[in-house]
Amino acid sequence: QVRLVESGGGSVQSGGSLRLSCAASGSTYSNYCMGWFRRAPGKEREGLVVVDINGVTSYADSVKGRFSISRDNAKNTLALQMNSLKPEDTAMYYCAAVYKTFCRRDSYSPFAASGYWGQGTQVTVSS
């Protein structure tokens, strides 16, 4: 079992940047595919990016070129660098982990079915 704790959210103006962090504990971090998700008010949860155990990434079109994921297996951490933020990026952001046997390339569904989730961190982008 993996415990995940997000941090780094806050309020920023349009065009600004934020860096989210996710600290993992409780299991062998390098055995898990990791992802970032968000849920905006009144909308369904959206998968943003996943990184597998080999560091291969896959981004949603909505964030491609603006967001960048990185994982540090030595420190058991995951980061999301968010640049050129827009008001529509306002949401609660979550990191999630799924054991490597459940990972599917370019797929967010394994996280919903078999993943572990953090409590989320709020990002608010004002125009």
Side-chain angles (χ1 to χ4, degrees):
Q1 187 167 353
V2 179
R3 181 171 179 263
L4 303 170
V5 179
E6 302 95 335
S7 61
S11 297
V12 65
Q13 289 193 327
S14 182
S17 298
L18 280 175
R19 185 175 179 85
L20 305 183
S21 296
C22 175
S25 61
S27 191
T28 305
Y29 178 69
S30 59
N31 284 336
Y32 289 80
C33 296
M34 302 296 298
W36 285 100
F37 297 75
R38 68 186 178 191
R39 188 190 297 270
K43 295 187 177 181
E44 293 187 355
R45 185 171 59 200
E46 177 187 12
L48 303 178
V49 56
V50 296
V51 57
D52 69 12
I53 60 172
N54 298 311
V56 177
T57 59
S58 177
Y59 290 86
D61 289 342
S62 59
V63 302
K64 196 174 295 182
R66 299 190 299 125
F67 291 11
S68 178
I69 193 172
S70 59
R71 67 184 298 166
D72 186 332
N73 288 343
K75 296 182 178 179
N76 291 0
T77 58
L78 184 74
L80 184 68
Q81 178 66 42
M82 305 187 295
N83 299 326
S84 303
L85 284 162
K86 307 174 183 179
E88 50 264 44
D89 293 318
T90 295
M92 186 71 79
Y93 283 71
Y94 301 87
C95 71
V98 67
Y99 192 68
K100 58 185 177 182
T101 55
F102 296 106
C103 297
R104 296 293 181 268
R105 189 165 186 171
D106 299 332
S107 177
Y108 302 103
S109 58
F111 292 88
S114 307
Y116 300 94
W117 294 81
Q119 83 290 346
T121 186
Q122 177 68 38
V123 172
T124 302
V125 185
S126 58
S127 58

